[in-house]
Amino acid sequence: MDPDLFFVVGFVIAVLAIPAIVSALLDGRAPRLPAYLILIGGLMIGYAVQQRPTSYGFDTLPDVFVRVVARYTQ
């Protein structure tokens, strides 16, 4: 599978889990599922970085997102 796709999906999963963690903590619950989602997202990002170590950085994040969206929406 494409490392760029893994990176983007992992990033989206990890970012979307953050509000769930905050909500669980404010309600006094243990954030079990959001923690697993962060773990899955982190592993996906780690796999992508391992496959292409020099391709990902803060300056290339928008390019990676645009490449993935353009590739899979055509």
Side-chain angles (χ1 to χ4, degrees):
M1 214 169 167
D2 184 26
D4 287 345
L5 180 63
F6 263 89
F7 185 85
V8 169
V9 171
F11 188 81
V12 169
I13 288 172
V15 167
L16 290 178
I18 292 171
I21 287 177
V22 172
S23 175
L25 291 175
L26 289 177
D27 289 342
R29 296 179 282 120
R32 288 185 185 96
L33 181 61
Y36 290 135
L37 290 175
I38 293 281
L39 178 67
I40 290 169
L43 288 173
M44 291 178 79
I45 292 170
Y47 171 76
V49 170
Q50 180 185 12
Q51 295 299 312
R52 292 188 189 166
T54 60
S55 296
Y56 306 112
F58 288 113
D59 55 340
T60 61
L61 284 180
D63 296 334
V64 173
F65 273 84
V66 169
R67 272 197 318 253
V68 168
V69 170
R71 188 178 312 138
Y72 291 103
T73 57
Q74 292 181 354

